[in-house]
Amino acid sequence: MKHYLLNVMQPGWDELPAPEVLAEIGRNLDAFHQELREAGAWVFAGGLHGPESSTVLRPRDGDVLITDGPYAEGKEQLGGICVVKAPDLDAALEWGRRAARATTLPIEVRPFMGEAED
């Protein structure tokens, strides 16, 4: 089976949703991850700390520059990832739909390079 990356696109919130909303999203994500496991599609999933915790390493003139904090300003940031096994793009998109419902956030689905379809 081919592997697909489901990127959780998180908005740059000025304030987080209410704790009860986050708790419901957490329960929905747990159920989604369990569904992936039961279907044999689970590979890996994890949420990320906010972009303020990032460090960017950029090659320049034979050296590598290090920049703390978010380098790119944007309306959406990568909030988490999920790697799934799916027989084809249509199946991966269905997992993406389920992830979007669970997280209430946009999901980007991308295949990994160099993997042949079974």
Side-chain angles (χ1 to χ4, degrees):
M1 283 208 205
K2 195 166 176 73
H3 290 82
Y4 293 85
L5 179 65
L6 309 182
N7 292 323
V8 180
M9 303 310 296
Q10 184 172 317
W13 289 311
D14 290 332
E15 61 182 67
L16 289 175
E20 60 273 9
V21 172
L22 290 176
E24 181 179 352
I25 291 169
R27 288 189 297 274
N28 292 341
L29 274 173
D30 289 343
F32 171 66
H33 292 159
Q34 185 59 36
E35 188 178 359
L36 284 169
R37 287 182 182 96
E38 290 171 1
W42 171 267
V43 176
F44 173 81
L48 299 171
H49 287 282
E52 68 281 354
S53 68
S54 68
T55 303
V56 177
L57 293 92
R58 183 177 308 280
R60 182 167 294 155
D61 300 325
D63 199 2
V64 177
L65 301 178
I66 299 174
T67 306
D68 290 331
Y71 180 77
E73 296 295 325
K75 293 183 180 183
E76 293 179 326
Q77 305 286 341
L78 182 62
I81 64 167
C82 182
V83 178
V84 300
K85 291 185 285 189
D88 55 36
L89 179 60
D90 289 337
L93 291 174
E94 180 55 33
W95 287 121
R97 282 184 194 90
R98 294 176 188 187
R101 285 189 211 105
T103 63
T104 71
L105 295 171
I107 302 295
E108 176 190 39
V109 178
R110 295 174 71 176
F112 281 89
M113 292 174 60
E115 291 188 340
E117 294 284 345
D118 287 342

